[in-house]
Amino acid sequence: MDESALPEDHPRYESLVTRHRIEAGVDRGITSRQGLIAQGRGEAFDYLLGEETIPTADRAARAGVARLLAADHPVVSVNGNVAALAPGETVELADAVSAALEVNLFNRTDERMEAIEEHLREHGAADVKGLTADGRIPGLDHERATVDADGIGAADAVLVPLEDGDRAEALAAMGKVVVAIDLNPGSRTARVADVPIVDNVVRALPAMTAHARELAGADDGELERIAAAFDPDEALAAAERAIREGEF
Ligand code: ATP
């Protein structure tokens, strides 16, 4: 079924679109079957959050952008779910914060790496890292440790939308600033991130681009103030409250 055939007046239209994009991603060899499971987990949390961006998530998005803009070598990490859900939005954000794009897969195969690289190029990416694979993240097994030495290897700040907890922890242990988008405020990724954005990537990525455009002229002092004013523990607690207190 084509995305345009989905009923726009359906009360959960956005959720249907998201689900459909992941299915199409699997069919095209971009998203892994495990990605379907991650999607299901994400949908459950999004449902509990009312399928909208809570105010603290938007403040986190702004703080995350401030950290990326202040970095010398920011990198946006792209996996099969993100590539399927929001390829154009990912490329736009990377441009807006002058970050490199790097494909980084939990279940790495050459075919999927290449399919995602091509998909990102079709959505406007000029340069896509990840295929050189000449760097390692210490503390992870070979396949999951593989990165580009001049990409995530050299990054001082990494945006990880939907990252697995082990790798987020390993990136933080390398001293990198970790900005994570994850709908589960209790996930290890959210807990280890310097800036956890508890929101759906389909909403968070364009919101971050809008913040980046607004902050384009900000000096280092202002970026530092925005980043320092953000408290990750408070943001996670607010997301948990929103989940507990939501009415459905
Ligand atoms: P961790 O290893 O961090 O404790 P996990 O084992 O649940 O977490 P995975 O299953 O690898 O991690 O990743 C799925 C994570 O991504 C889940 O936390 C899920 O809520 C989140 N997720 C899935 N889809 C989306 C989405 N569209 N936007 C944001 N987050 C999402």
Side-chain angles (χ1 to χ4, degrees):
M1 184 173 61
D2 192 68
E3 194 174 296
S4 61
L6 296 170
E8 280 185 48
D9 58 349
H10 190 286
R12 305 194 58 245
Y13 173 73
E14 296 296 335
S15 170
L16 292 181
V17 169
T18 305
R19 194 176 289 188
H20 177 75
R21 285 191 190 159
I22 290 285
E23 283 179 351
V26 174
D27 290 346
R28 274 200 306 242
I30 288 171
T31 310
S32 70
R33 283 181 299 164
Q34 284 88 343
L36 290 168
I37 296 167
Q39 163 70 15
R41 200 173 330 201
E43 272 191 26
F45 281 101
D46 207 10
Y47 183 86
L48 292 171
L49 284 162
E51 292 172 342
E52 59 184 33
T53 301
I54 59 173
T56 46
D58 192 56
R59 284 200 287 281
R62 187 170 155 87
V65 164
R67 300 298 292 255
L68 295 171
L69 286 171
D72 291 325
H73 297 291
V75 174
V76 174
S77 175
V78 184
N79 67 14
N81 285 54
V82 175
L85 290 175
E89 292 84 346
T90 305
V91 173
E92 270 192 60
L93 174 61
D95 279 350
V97 296
S98 302
L101 280 167
E102 177 160 340
V103 184
N104 205 248
L105 303 181
F106 187 76
N107 300 291
R108 187 185 178 103
T109 67
D110 288 345
E111 294 73 26
R112 280 213 305 129
M113 293 292 294
E114 283 162 20
I116 294 173
E117 183 202 14
E118 193 183 314
H119 191 58
L120 291 174
R121 286 189 190 280
E122 281 168 10
H123 284 82
D127 187 27
V128 181
K129 295 187 186 296
L131 282 96
T132 311
D134 55 350
R136 294 271 173 277
I137 305 174
L140 297 177
D141 60 73
H142 180 84
E143 194 179 283
R144 287 198 285 153
T146 304
V147 292
D148 277 13
D150 69 347
I152 290 176
D156 52 350
V158 187
L159 171 65
V160 286
L162 276 93
E163 183 59 282
D164 124 86
D166 281 348
R167 210 159 38 188
E169 274 175 4
L171 290 170
M174 288 176 85
K176 300 179 192 299
V177 170
V178 175
V179 180
I181 306 174
D182 192 324
L183 279 158
N184 177 2
S187 79
R188 281 179 304 147
T189 298
R191 303 219 155 257
V192 82
D194 297 280
V195 184
I197 302 166
V198 182
D199 200 5
N200 197 318
V201 294
V202 302
R203 295 190 299 269
L205 291 167
M208 290 177 80
T209 301
H211 284 302
R213 291 189 176 139
E214 188 233 318
L215 290 172
D219 59 24
D220 287 351
E222 187 177 354
L223 296 175
E224 174 55 33
R225 273 192 297 282
I226 294 167
F230 175 77
D231 179 346
D233 294 330
E234 174 47 37
L236 294 176
E240 286 173 5
R241 276 197 303 277
I243 287 173
R244 261 200 318 274
E245 292 162 14
E247 289 174 27
F248 304 100

